[in-house]
Amino acid sequence: MSLLTETRKLIVPPRTAPRPSPLTRAAVPPLAPGALPGLGHAGALLRDPLGFLGSLSRHGGVVRIRLGPRTVCVVTDARLVHTLLVALAHDCPRGAVQDTLKTAFGDGLLMSEGQAHRDRRRIIQPAFGPDRMGEYLAVMQQVTEERAGRWRPGQVLDVAKEMNHLALEIVTRTLFDARLSEDATVAFHRALPDLVKGQIVQSLYPNPALARLPLPVNRRFDDAVRVLNRVVDQAVNGRAAGAEEGRRTLPALLRAATDPASGCPLTEADVRSEAIAMFGAGTETVSTTLTWLLDELLRHPEVEARILAELDEHLPAGAVPTPEALARLTYTRSVTQEVVRLHAPNAFLMRTAQVPVELGPYRVPAGTELLYSLTALHRDPVRYPEPLSFRPERWQDGGGTGRPSFLPFGAGKHKCIGEAFAWAELTVAAAAILRRWRPVAVPGARAREVVWTTVQAHGLRVRLAPRGARSPRRSSTAASREGDTGSSPGDTVPSSPGEPPSGRCPFTGAGRATAPADPATTAAPSDLRSRADLLLAADRHADWAVRRGLLTPSELPRYRAYALHELIGFAYPRARGAELDLLVDMLGWFTILDDRFDGPPGRHPVQARAVVDPLVAVLDGARGGSPSESRLLLSWRELWERQTASMSPEWRARAAREWRACLATFPAEAEHRARGTVPALGLDLTDTMWLRRHGSCLYPFMNILERVHGTDAPAALHAEPALHRLRANTADAATLINDLYSLKREERQGGTAFNTVLTLERAHGCTRDRAVHAVRTRVARLQQESEEIRRDLLRSHPAGRWYLDGTRELVAGVQAWTSTSHRYRVRDREARR
């Protein structure tokens, strides 16, 4: 693609290049649709910041939005953002968001411009020179070891809070050689949210005078500023001057410097201003990134295993990290780069055009505020295929080096002075934590995005297990289940080995081949709605299930532990309101139906048909009203009406056809059990896969993508044979991932389990390792083939991108949920039955 080729070119032309076309010939940036009278786009920005900013690129490289009476230009093209930060840095200084902090903390490095910025950067630069890094690395490791040493086995850790405290302590000890009291650390942690919220709200005021009014947000912001000043004073004045000079701290460096403009020494106000900047910049972004790093490792245990193996090879336990050792940790660096890309801390930053400027083909008048979002840039599917997938391999072999579209620390003269410090801190802290502790996911407590000026990670809690002895490769199932269930690694599904087992693949008949490392190559999509929306949907669903008689109040606690709303949240990131409630209710209803067939109906065909036939009759238009109708049937009738309301006849016919195929698998499986033709006893792999594909309800839930989007996918897209293949691949991949994680639960059913891993073991004589490896390999191939199909279909049917992307999100959602759900956990007492 031409855009991919263009990213390899220099973004800023050499100074000898021809001058751009005159301003009078440039275009006015287009106005984004959807502006409301009086509010403009402020509601959309506040309601869904990342979704809104990410949607603007389809309208142009620079797009105008209205925030109340103000017009702001959003730069959506990475090349133009690079131009803004480098070629136009002098003409477009920092904007309103930074001005808010300048008022609070003074004109330090982060807030200054022009010659003042250059002078201050020259003074501070030695504190971040290569000769200082070795000393910093030893302190980083010591601080992390000390903090991690205070944790206890079984302790549930609030990761965001703990990483914030850790990052603050590292900054304090490395740059200031001081120690903060625990009270000061807690106060700093509590003050940051009010500082960030006040910063963004005050930057949106139409008149700066509003920041002086006694509004609650202003009072909290002022209180936060006072707290941060007290904390910084404790760090800056925490050591004697002689000790400062011996340790070459940042305050000592500043106090020994002279202001080039005045020829006078820097004032204490200057020292405090720079100290506050280092505390703010060096704490929140690093702590947020560490939180996301641990969250991604929980989802991708094979990545964690590779990091640990690399540490064993290049940074043995007990060794003091050095810059040379960190340079050899190439895979670990790829992982941290991918975390920073996918979870860029800066939701948006601003500049202001002081003179008329050109950005590509666009004319920007003087006085215009320019906004750009690193998060949106780093999730651009043109430059980062599968942007919501966690793929560290995209950075290997120099694949990410020098990308103008990767700007986590900015570019040009304002590029973060502590970039090398931050990368080193991420690596050293992660290594020290992972060597000592194995975090175990707490169900329902994964990280979620909370967006202000930064994209913060809230809600992640983990249970700590001592690392102890470990094998080079770990099980993805073990990573999500050990610690909560008391099971040992040997009781769980093994990961695919580094070398594929000998023999031929039961799926393809192919000989020995290198397989991808993990069953799901995509990470769960980021949560694009608030966490509160999902929790409210879960509460409404629980109330609905009890009112409908599907569950009793005593059954709710165990049922709610399944966290079905989390699956919907991952798989349908854009679902909201009534559509979100419908999805959670549908999934819950199907789960309750599926559990019913663990009992007698699952072994007796007559009973199975008695349950399913009335449900199918609803699809055929049968009217209700009989007093004998079961609660399951009554709730299904309601769900079918809610699904089909306002949908086209074509959609209703397709949905009915696929629900029939799904429901028909229950009597079919019961028939096989009754006859004894279960997997390994007369039912081959092909038939098992057909039953699993259609019995998973993935086809009906693919149809709901159109309900969530509010329209049918293009008819021409539905007519494509390739789409049928993509849908089958989607259902198969999600089903096989489910089979891997549900293995222990279904194994207790003995020969009656319709699980592909068990089928391969029993029907093909595979070992457990080889069966799991075959399933993982099949999933990876299905996903690779699916991506190729999506690319081909997208060229012919660009209007169907949302549907094609939705099939990918479904598989990613299943992977994210199944790896942590209580539904597939087998407790000791259950395993002994």
Side-chain angles (χ1 to χ4, degrees), residues 622-751:
R623 297 181 178 276
S626 169
S628 63
E629 287 189 334
S630 69
R631 291 168 176 172
L632 192 71
L633 176 57
L634 287 170
S635 55
W636 170 243
R637 194 182 299 280
E638 178 205 320
L639 284 175
W640 179 243
E641 292 174 356
R642 286 163 62 188
Q643 286 178 68
T644 57
S646 76
M647 298 303 288
S648 69
E650 294 78 13
W651 186 92
R652 289 197 296 270
R654 184 170 62 252
R657 182 170 63 252
E658 289 171 354
W659 270 118
R660 284 191 201 95
C662 174
L663 295 171
T665 61
F666 290 106
E669 289 185 0
E671 190 78 32
H672 283 298
R673 292 188 184 103
R675 293 180 178 178
T677 55
V678 292
L681 296 174
L683 190 67
D684 64 16
L685 181 61
T686 301
D687 290 335
T688 300
M689 280 302 302
W690 188 93
L691 285 170
R692 299 294 293 123
R693 175 189 300 167
H694 289 280
S696 64
C697 80
L698 262 294
Y699 276 104
F701 271 82
M702 275 185 273
N703 289 332
I704 296 296
L705 287 168
E706 295 170 88
R707 172 86 204 206
V708 171
H709 193 72
T711 184
D712 289 9
L717 177 61
H718 272 299
E720 289 276 8
L723 183 69
H724 297 206
R725 180 63 180 167
L726 175 63
R727 285 162 60 89
N729 284 3
T730 300
D732 285 354
T735 298
L736 292 172
I737 291 169
N738 184 280
D739 281 354
L740 289 167
Y741 286 98
S742 64
L743 178 58
K744 291 291 293 182
R745 182 177 186 267
E746 294 179 346
E747 194 169 26
R748 291 185 292 121
Q749 301 175 22

Side-chain angles (χ1 to χ4, degrees), residues 456 466 565 621 751:
Q456 301 165 23
H565 64 287

Side-chain angles (χ1 to χ4, degrees), residues 269-576:
D270 293 328
V271 175
R272 288 178 70 259
S273 178
E274 300 305 342
I276 288 173
M278 296 306 155
F279 270 90
T283 300
E284 185 181 14
T285 54
V286 171
S287 66
T288 298
T289 303
L290 280 170
T291 303
W292 283 120
L293 173 61
L294 292 180
D295 186 72
E296 291 295 351
L297 294 183
L298 289 172
R299 302 177 194 274
H300 302 275
E302 78 287 350
V303 174
E304 181 191 45
R306 285 190 63 181
I307 288 176
L308 289 167
E310 186 174 66
L311 290 174
D312 287 345
E313 182 178 357
H314 297 299
L315 189 62
V320 176
T322 63
E324 294 75 21
L326 296 191
R328 292 192 291 269
L329 301 176
T330 55
Y331 183 74
T332 303
R333 178 58 179 260
S334 296
V335 172
T336 55
Q337 284 179 299
E338 181 67 350
V339 172
V340 170
R341 181 201 67 81
L342 183 56
H343 304 289
N346 296 111
F348 63 87
L349 296 165
M350 297 184 75
R351 295 288 186 268
T352 300
Q354 290 187 329
V355 297
V357 297
E358 278 191 347
L359 277 171
Y362 303 103
R363 179 178 71 253
V364 177
T368 301
E369 292 177 291
L370 295 152
L371 180 150
Y372 61 96
S373 168
L374 292 183
T375 310
L377 294 177
H378 293 172
R379 295 178 182 179
D380 181 356
V382 174
R383 290 174 171 79
Y384 300 98
E386 299 181 52
L388 296 182
S389 298
F390 182 72
R391 291 173 47 196
E393 64 272 14
R394 75 171 88 231
W395 300 99
Q396 294 181 287
D397 300 323
T401 303
R403 287 190 185 188
S405 59
F406 186 58
L407 304 167
F409 294 93
K413 67 177 185 178
H414 286 294
K415 188 175 185 179
C416 178
I417 196 172
E419 178 180 6
F421 183 98
W423 286 121
E425 182 180 356
L426 289 171
T427 303
V428 172
I433 292 170
L434 293 175
R435 274 233 171 86
R436 183 184 289 260
W437 297 105
R438 178 169 55 80
V440 179
V442 174
R446 306 305 294 265
R448 65 184 187 276
E449 290 181 338
V450 176
V451 183
W452 288 97
T453 52
T454 58
V455 184
Q456 301 165 23
H458 285 198
L460 178 63
R461 291 185 298 125
V462 299
R463 183 172 288 107
L464 296 171
R467 177 61 65 180
R470 58 181 177 82
S471 59
R473 303 291 294 247
R474 291 179 54 225
S475 157
S476 59
T477 305
S480 64
R481 301 181 189 182
E482 290 168 24
D484 275 347
T485 65
S487 58
S488 66
D491 293 333
T492 55
V493 181
S495 172
S496 45
E499 283 290 323
S502 60
R504 306 184 73 79
C505 175
F507 278 103
T508 63
R512 194 180 184 98
T514 301
D518 193 61
T521 58
T522 58
S526 300
D527 187 6
L528 301 182
R529 71 183 65 73
S530 73
R531 176 72 174 174
D533 288 343
L534 277 179
L535 293 176
L536 287 172
D539 291 340
R540 288 192 293 267
H541 169 66
D543 180 67
W544 177 85
V546 172
R547 275 190 295 105
R548 282 291 181 181
L550 298 173
L551 295 170
T552 65
S554 63
E555 293 171 322
L556 270 182
R558 180 169 181 174
Y559 174 79
R560 294 196 69 158
Y562 294 168
L564 297 176
H565 64 287
E566 296 279 358
L567 194 161
I568 297 301
F570 286 122
Y572 299 88
R574 279 157 287 281
R576 290 175 174 78

Side-chain angles (χ1 to χ4, degrees), residues 5 26 195 220 230 285 430 559 781 808:
T5 303
L195 182 79
R220 288 193 292 269
R230 286 199 300 271
T285 54
Y559 174 79
R781 289 177 179 172
R808 181 194 299 114

Side-chain angles (χ1 to χ4, degrees), residues 205 231 250 436 469 505 525 589 597:
Y205 284 154
V231 172
L250 180 62
R436 183 184 289 260
C505 175
W589 178 88
F597 284 88

Side-chain angles (χ1 to χ4, degrees), residues 41-217:
H41 300 91
L45 179 63
L46 293 174
R47 184 169 56 251
D48 183 10
L50 300 185
F52 174 69
L53 292 174
S55 71
L56 296 177
S57 61
R58 73 187 66 163
H59 304 296
V62 180
V63 181
R64 287 179 297 137
I65 63 172
R66 290 179 179 150
L67 303 177
R70 297 160 60 185
T71 296
V72 174
C73 283
V74 181
V75 187
T76 68
D77 187 298
R79 297 169 302 166
L80 299 184
V81 171
H82 193 275
T83 299
L84 174 66
L85 300 181
V86 179
L88 299 178
H90 177 75
D91 295 331
C92 299
R94 293 183 172 103
V97 174
Q98 287 88 342
D99 287 345
T100 302
L101 292 183
K102 182 176 179 178
T103 302
F105 297 126
D107 196 10
L109 179 67
L110 287 184
M111 277 69 76
S112 60
E113 293 288 346
Q115 188 61 45
H117 174 82
R118 289 191 289 274
D119 291 342
R120 192 60 58 86
R121 190 178 183 100
R122 232 177 261 118
I123 292 171
I124 295 174
Q125 187 66 59
F128 295 95
D131 60 315
R132 306 293 297 274
M133 194 54 64
E135 183 181 338
Y136 290 158
L137 293 177
V139 178
M140 291 173 185
Q141 184 185 45
Q142 181 182 355
V143 171
T144 309
E145 291 283 2
E146 289 174 2
R147 188 149 204 104
R150 296 196 288 269
W151 303 340
R152 293 292 175 262
Q155 176 182 349
V156 174
L157 206 67
D158 181 334
V159 178
K161 178 180 178 181
E162 197 65 22
M163 293 304 103
N164 188 279
H165 288 189
L166 173 62
L168 178 61
E169 193 171 354
I170 287 175
V171 168
T172 307
R173 296 267 292 275
T174 52
L175 297 181
F176 297 87
D177 196 19
R179 293 177 184 264
L180 295 177
S181 67
E182 188 63 22
D183 288 345
T185 301
V186 171
F188 183 90
H189 176 73
R190 290 175 177 170
L192 272 182
D194 288 332
L195 182 79
V196 173
K197 292 174 186 177
Q199 179 188 10
I200 186 172
V201 171
Q202 290 188 12
S203 70
L204 295 175
Y205 284 154
N207 190 320
L210 293 175
R212 295 192 292 273
L213 295 179
L215 302 174
V217 66

